[in-house]
Amino acid sequence: MQFTRIYNDDQGKSHFGEVTIPVRDGGPIGMLSERFAAGDMIFRETPGDYDFKWHPAPQRQVLFILKGHCEFTVSSGETRQFAGGDVLLLEDTEGEGHCSKALNNEIRHSIFVTLPEGTVL
């Protein structure tokens, strides 16, 4: 299973990357990953005109987009668009951070799950 990661380098610049979570046969229920420690869960509704300029993630967290379309920009100017069903690992907790904005004037519903110190995905 693979999804997008946003992280910062030693100079505080943000970048896109990829995370691959290995899965194994879980029998009749499908493929399963190992268990990962999780912290708080935050439900969020973002307005359709949301356009948040440069900011770091407040903590390491996984973002599950349930509904709506959005765009993230990293330090190089590269942008990627995401929609309901997409997952992102936000790790750019220092430095310049990223920009995020709503697309198509759509409200976005999402869930953030914080990751305790030392959790490795």
Side-chain angles (χ1 to χ4, degrees):
M1 187 175 294
Q2 191 170 25
F3 52 91
T4 300
R5 167 186 183 223
I6 299 178
Y7 66 97
N8 57 278
D9 62 23
D10 292 341
Q11 288 75 46
K13 301 294 184 182
S14 59
H15 304 275
F16 287 114
E18 300 299 321
V19 175
T20 300
I21 304 294
V23 293
R24 58 179 168 68
D25 187 0
I29 62 169
M31 304 294 283
L32 298 172
S33 75
E34 296 298 321
R35 291 178 184 252
F36 295 97
D40 297 321
M41 184 167 55
I42 304 158
F43 291 82
R44 181 176 179 190
E45 182 175 284
T46 308
D49 61 353
Y50 180 83
D51 188 1
F52 196 13
K53 298 301 180 194
W54 297 105
H55 63 284
Q59 58 208 21
R60 277 185 80 229
Q61 55 194 357
V62 179
L63 166 60
F64 299 87
I65 301 172
L66 303 175
K67 173 186 169 188
H69 291 80
C70 58
E71 180 177 87
F72 283 77
T73 303
V74 294
S75 296
S76 67
E78 180 183 359
T79 62
R80 293 189 187 179
Q81 295 182 359
F82 301 93
D86 288 328
V87 177
L88 290 91
L89 172 59
L90 302 175
E91 296 185 298
D92 61 329
T93 59
E94 298 178 356
E96 190 170 78
H98 59 272
C99 297
S100 55
K101 70 178 184 177
L103 296 176
N104 308 324
N105 200 36
E106 293 176 331
I107 293 172
R108 183 176 79 216
H109 290 167
S110 53
I111 298 172
F112 291 89
V113 176
T114 63
L115 298 175
E117 187 74 30
T119 301
V120 178
L121 295 184

